[in-house]
Amino acid sequence: MRVLIVGGGKLVYFLSRALISKKHKVTVIDRNWEGGNRLAKQLKINIVFGDGSDPEVLEDAGAFYSDVLLALTSFDQDNFTICQMADAYFQVPRILALVNDPDNEKVFKNLGIADAISTTHILTGLIERKAIFEDIVHLTPVGDGKFNLTEVVLKKNSKVVNITLEDMKLPADCLVAGLIRRDKPIIPRGKTRLRPGDRIILVSLPTNHDEALKMLTVEY
Amino acid sequence: MPIKKQRLGVIAGCGRLGSYLASKLSALGYSIMVVDIDEKAFRNLSVEFSGFHIIGDVTEFKVLERTKLGEADFFIATTGEDNVNIMSAQVAKRMFTVRQVIARVSDPKRDEAYSELGLLTVCPTAISADVFLEKLALEKNRSPLKGWL
């Protein structure tokens, strides 16, 4: 595949390196002369020096023959014009843009650039998920990963505290198989009420695993 | 007498061009909102200016929301960066459905490319070049000034 990348810095270096190792042909447009020079010495790729939102520079870099264009500069407005040019004038089949302002994901999509990725968005998502799942002590896939076995500690302010298992309405194909309350193992029944500090042994399928965990860990 | 509703306009960029436009339109009775990323830029506004200003980056959606762009009758993007003008103008037109949108695009190549795509643009470079050429042609026929300049 012929990949055209607009941008510079570490991200572009490591990405290009990964792409060449997978036998893709990489061309980079960098407007930083020194950065581009360094890149040219480190990797066997074509480097074009210039402003990637300039149609002539895009043409020089072979935009007409590229299969993929990645707009990875650190300015949303530049990535936007690069993508628009690549689409309107060079008909690059697949175009991908990086956006900084998470709101611009929606803006790009509205203005015809379908694949806009916000690093801010991805990172906040990861951090949130990490924060939710920090109460999970153990996660073991069993039966070749067809089942998940998870141990969760219920927090004081968890939404399911003081609710019986039958009222809790766990998603289908999930089971609270065991409880450890004050070091005492309990095999719960439908009428068993969950208490703060309970260690829950959850059996779930990978499909509804996340949903079930969310239910147990969501706080008031 | 019915009160005429004041036309509301948003101007991006408060440099020489933006501040001049804002001051003129404000003096003509328009309600003007100017946006610039640099607070110091608002010093360029003349005493006639009676509108509002907002500090922020117009490529940020939240900043454009704060300018009440949804109620605006027109949007003019005059910042020094072509790509900022091109992007914010399209956001104003398509997402805030502003009726009249004009973007300043200084690079004549880019200006041409975007006019073809249907964006209403003004290219100061091309305009001033044309004026220069006009004056140059005029100068040839104007003999009294010969020897003076």
Side-chain angles (χ1 to χ4, degrees), chain B residues 111-131:
Chain B
D111 176 59
E112 210 175 297
Y114 272 94
S115 315
E116 276 174 30
L117 290 179
L119 193 68
L120 192 55
T121 58
V122 169
C123 179
T125 319
I127 290 172
S128 52
D130 288 345
V131 175

Side-chain angles (χ1 to χ4, degrees), chain A residues 5 14-15 48 60 111 116 128 131 149 159 166 176 191 193 207-208 220:
Chain A
I5 301 176
F14 286 114
L15 187 65
V48 176
D60 279 349
L111 298 175
E128 272 169 6
L149 202 60
K159 266 196 168 165
E166 53 186 8
V176 174
K191 295 268 186 281
R193 246 169 235 284
T207 43
N208 48 25
Y220 278 113

Side-chain angles (χ1 to χ4, degrees), chain B residues 13-15 19 34-46 49 52-58 63 66:
Chain B
C14 194
S19 62
V34 204
V35 201
D36 200 292
I37 202 161
D38 180 13
E39 196 181 356
K40 292 197 285 290
F42 300 116
R43 290 184 200 156
N44 291 328
L45 293 164
S46 79
F49 181 76
F52 302 93
H53 63 249
I54 283 180
I55 305 164
D57 182 346
V58 286
V63 170
R66 269 172 48 213

